[in-house]
Amino acid sequence: MPEITEAPEETPSPVYILDPHANRTKEEDIDLSHTVGKIPTWQTIQESVGTRSGWFGDYDYGFLCMPTLPGLSVQRTSPFFGLRDKLPLILALIMGFQHSLAMIAGVVTPAIIMSGSGINGLNFSSENRTQMISTSLITSGLLSLVQITRFRLGGTPYFLGTGLLSVVGTSFIYLPVLQSSVTNMYNSGYCKSSFDASGTQIFEPCPDAWGAYLGTCMVCSLLPMILSFVPPRALKRIFPPIVTGVTVMLIGVSLVTSGMQQWGGGSGPCAARPTSGLFVDCPSVGSPHAAPWGDAQWIGLGFLVFFVIMVVEFFGSPFMKNAQVVIGLIVGMIVAVALGYTTSDSIKAAPAVTFLWTTTYKLSIYPPAVIPLLITYVLAMVESIGDITASCEVSQLTVEGREFESRLQGGIFADGVAGLLAPLMMNSPMSCYAQNNGIISLTRCANTMAGYMCCLFLILMGVFSKFGALFLMLPDPVLGGMTTFLFSSVVVSGIRILSFLPWTRRERFIVAASLSLGLGTSLVPGVLTHMISYNGDSPFLLSLITSVNIILDTGFALGAIVSCILNGLLPSDPLMSAEPITDRHGPMLDNKEIEDMHVEAQSVHESMLGVKH
């Protein structure tokens, strides 16, 4: 055996480096094909249609119908239906109908107000107004299908739609822009008006104003399409809550004014309370139960609707609570018909069946409305981010990561496409609706099949135009009692956004400055529009000055601009200097202990500053 004369060389032990990302899928490599809508197979259709479980399942249908009675109601928990879970057909029809009922008031109200009478309305005939309502319902159903289904854009990592139960409708935030633009058109002579013998201004229908608004919306819709490819985090930094909260709140304030005008008797010429002429009474002399604007009978009709909404909230079943606004309208309609406040002229004049493009308008561009509409589109986009996030939460999906950001991108892009396609369908731009998230949370049904049924009901309601004519049969105060409640919820949404601010001196100053001008112009219309005038022949200068006056007369646009500027210029307030809290009635601390507490407090203070910035 050979003799070992030296020690063997030590072999280094292998070193294992644990890579925390070694077995983790990269964000860009995540397969998102499961988020895209798929055509059901023949076997799936047979199982749904040909079996009892496919029709009814084992769902507790009494949960939706039992009223809420103090001390008698039993707490029930229904099963949760995810996006792709198997949903019984009857339940899908019920849930879809429930979603459509929750949307009806929000979808048709902008069309009713936009086409209404007065200096800020289009003053359309009942036939054209009925067609606008039907168009709004059909457009909402068709564009919601796109948002719910979700499509991949070719071979790119980008999508169209959220793939959630996200429905779309005409947003209220576009109303103030149209109203300001139409008011300016009547004042400038773009739309025609005249004066009767009593000096009351009579406004003629202005279809060219509607075509100009739609064409301008189509051009401005390119902005949200482009911004949909910007990361959502960057958008939130550009448009922080202090800007969006102030703007949404001011939009609600402006809309509540319109709702209260309707509640008082209408927003037409009678709202000025002339002492003589055809419009001494509302809606006009000779109408059923005509009375001056603000009369007790008008206030009572509106309050009836408002009161029914309150009662349903207290005692209604889950199904009723989700349709509380529609129930209030139905009760108001029954009372108005029974007491002779209505006529059936609008229903008789409406065709049995209609569809898109039975009435068209000449599209054009109204330059003064471009800047306010761009602001509105950006606001709608930021609002959609919150709505889609809420949809993911109530659908029990993650609200971070690649899939979530992909759904945000697809939803914002679909809103931009809706802003282009809706005007082509002769309707105002549409965006994601937040009302339906409450229904998902309450019924625990986030299934896209319920969304498809909702779209079906909306399209059918629009096709059968007699349904839309029912809303025109209602007296304005009945609609006013409902719209004032809806518009107040917009104000509450803005307040809720602002409630998450830290409310330092800086935040208080920005909000106060923005509301000073925004609320001022909303409560005193036209107060800032007399500073700048031009009598020359330059079309460019005339358009520029008109655009500035529209911004100055649109409270939310003015508030958004002021809050953006101040938020960018004012430096952030440093957090209050951190001081240690000591018990002055306890044992005295020595200098070393006090110094240690100062160091600890300062480190916490610095870490909070780091989080803020």
Side-chain angles (χ1 to χ4, degrees):
M1 184 174 189
E3 183 179 356
I4 299 176
T5 57
E6 58 182 13
E9 296 181 359
E10 293 185 3
T11 304
S13 301
V15 178
Y16 299 96
I17 301 176
L18 297 179
D19 183 3
H21 302 286
N23 297 320
R24 194 175 293 176
T25 305
K26 294 182 179 179
E27 289 283 313
E28 58 270 18
D29 294 336
I30 294 177
D31 183 18
L32 299 175
S33 59
H34 66 282
T35 65
V36 180
K38 295 179 176 61
I39 300 175
T41 63
W42 176 247
Q43 182 181 358
T44 304
I45 296 175
Q46 283 182 317
E47 291 176 356
S48 298
V49 179
T51 62
R52 186 184 184 283
S53 62
W55 278 97
F56 297 98
D58 56 356
Y59 186 78
D60 181 13
Y61 291 92
F63 165 76
L64 294 174
C65 304
M66 290 299 294
T68 304
L69 300 176
L72 299 177
S73 300
V74 179
Q75 190 70 27
R76 302 185 183 184
T77 302
S78 60
F80 179 79
F81 292 95
L83 292 179
R84 304 287 182 247
D85 291 345
K86 186 178 179 181
L87 188 68
L89 287 178
I90 293 297
L91 185 58
L93 287 168
I94 293 174
M95 295 293 186
F97 184 61
Q98 192 170 204
H99 278 279
S100 64
L101 286 180
M103 292 180 63
I104 286 175
V107 171
V108 304
T109 297
I112 294 173
I113 295 177
M114 290 176 176
S115 61
S117 58
I119 192 172
N120 58 4
L122 297 168
N123 297 278
F124 279 173
S125 64
S126 61
E127 292 84 357
N128 286 348
R129 297 185 73 189
T130 301
Q131 179 59 35
M132 278 188 67
I133 294 173
S134 295
T135 299
S136 187
L137 290 167
I138 296 172
T139 305
S140 176
L142 293 176
L143 295 180
S144 295
L145 284 174
V146 176
Q147 191 74 273
I148 295 171
T149 304
R150 185 168 164 90
F151 305 91
R152 184 186 287 272
L153 301 179
T156 68
Y158 300 106
F159 294 82
L160 172 67
T162 61
L164 307 170
L165 209 169
S166 307
V167 292
V168 300
T170 305
S171 178
F172 292 136
I173 64 177
Y174 294 96
L175 268 175
V177 179
L178 174 79
Q179 291 175 331
S180 297
S181 300
V182 171
T183 299
N184 186 75
M185 290 177 184
Y186 276 114
N187 289 334
S188 64
Y190 186 94
C191 296
K192 296 180 180 180
S193 63
S194 58
F195 293 88
D196 63 9
S198 64
T200 303
Q201 191 173 7
I202 309 298
F203 304 98
E204 299 182 14
C206 194
D208 288 344
W210 183 235
Y213 172 76
L214 295 178
T216 311
C217 288
M218 291 174 62
V219 174
C220 295
S221 67
L222 297 175
L223 178 63
M225 291 189 205
I226 296 172
L227 292 179
S228 67
F229 301 103
V230 177
R233 297 189 196 94
L235 292 176
K236 289 183 178 180
R237 283 196 297 268
I238 299 172
F239 308 104
I242 195 169
V243 175
T244 56
V246 166
T247 310
V248 171
M249 180 180 172
L250 289 173
I251 286 174
V253 169
S254 174
L255 294 173
V256 167
T257 304
S258 300
M260 286 303 296
Q261 272 193 329
Q262 284 189 307
W263 194 334
S267 56
C270 69
R273 293 183 64 91
T275 57
S276 62
L278 182 63
F279 298 102
V280 171
D281 294 331
C282 290
S284 61
V285 175
S287 300
H289 293 276
W293 188 87
D295 190 80
Q297 68 177 14
W298 302 135
I299 304 300
L301 271 178
F303 185 77
L304 172 65
V305 178
F306 187 79
F307 178 74
V308 170
I309 293 173
M310 301 298 111
V311 171
V312 172
E313 180 64 28
F314 275 97
F315 304 109
S317 66
F319 187 92
M320 294 175 67
K321 288 182 180 180
N322 292 328
Q324 61 184 179
V325 174
V326 177
I327 293 173
L329 275 181
I330 291 174
V331 173
M333 179 188 299
I334 293 173
V335 172
V337 171
L339 297 180
Y341 280 91
T342 62
T343 64
S344 58
D345 294 342
S346 61
I347 297 179
K348 293 178 180 178
V353 177
T354 188
F355 200 66
L356 304 175
W357 304 298
T358 56
T359 303
T360 57
Y361 302 89
K362 183 178 66 176
L363 298 178
S364 61
I365 297 176
Y366 187 59
V370 170
I371 296 178
L373 274 175
L374 289 175
I375 296 174
T376 306
Y377 268 112
V378 169
L379 180 63
M381 179 187 62
V382 176
E383 191 177 22
S384 292
I385 293 176
D387 294 342
I388 297 169
T389 303
S391 296
C392 287
E393 287 179 340
V394 296
S395 301
Q396 298 187 6
L397 299 174
T398 179
V399 289
E400 58 183 12
R402 174 77 178 93
E403 180 177 331
F404 170 66
E405 293 188 354
S406 174
R407 292 189 188 276
L408 283 179
Q409 176 273 314
I412 297 173
F413 186 68
D415 275 358
V417 172
L420 176 66
L421 294 181
L424 281 176
M425 298 175 181
M426 302 292 117
N427 194 74
S428 185
M430 293 195 165
S431 57
C432 282
Y433 256 28
Q435 292 96 319
N436 298 71
N437 291 332
I439 300 178
I440 297 174
S441 176
L442 186 64
T443 62
R444 295 173 56 81
C445 178
N447 196 275
T448 53
M449 180 59 70
Y452 291 136
M453 294 301 176
C454 171
C455 297
L456 175 64
F457 282 117
L458 290 173
I459 294 172
L460 290 177
M461 291 173 187
V463 168
F464 296 102
S465 59
K466 300 287 186 183
F467 177 82
L470 287 173
F471 292 95
L472 297 182
M473 187 179 72
L474 295 173
D476 280 344
V478 173
L479 289 172
M482 177 268 291
T483 56
T484 303
F485 175 79
L486 282 180
F487 296 156
S488 297
S489 66
V490 179
V491 179
V492 173
S493 297
I495 295 173
R496 181 180 180 276
I497 295 172
L498 292 175
S499 67
F500 292 103
L501 297 177
W503 288 109
T504 63
R505 178 183 177 85
R506 177 181 182 272
E507 277 72 28
R508 290 197 301 270
F509 179 83
I510 293 174
V511 173
S514 304
L515 293 181
S516 298
L517 295 175
L519 276 178
T521 54
S522 297
L523 299 177
V524 188
V527 66
L528 300 178
T529 59
H530 305 290
M531 300 184 298
I532 308 174
S533 61
Y534 177 70
N535 298 320
D537 299 327
S538 172
F540 173 77
L541 288 178
L542 182 62
S543 176
L544 179 63
I545 292 174
T546 303
S547 180
V548 170
N549 282 333
I550 287 180
I551 294 173
L552 293 176
D553 200 32
T554 307
F556 83 86
L558 196 57
I561 292 173
V562 171
S563 58
C564 275
I565 293 175
L566 292 179
N567 186 61
L569 294 180
L570 281 178
S572 299
D573 277 349
L575 297 177
M576 294 178 62
S577 179
E579 292 289 341
I581 300 176
T582 59
D583 184 2
R584 300 185 183 277
H585 300 283
M588 295 295 295
L589 301 176
D590 58 28
N591 293 334
K592 180 67 170 61
E593 290 175 322
I594 294 177
E595 183 181 351
D596 291 342
M597 292 181 68
H598 271 288
V599 172
E600 182 180 358
Q602 188 62 32
S603 65
V604 172
H605 172 63
E606 292 174 355
S607 65
M608 292 177 68
L609 285 177
V611 170
K612 182 175 181 180
H613 297 294

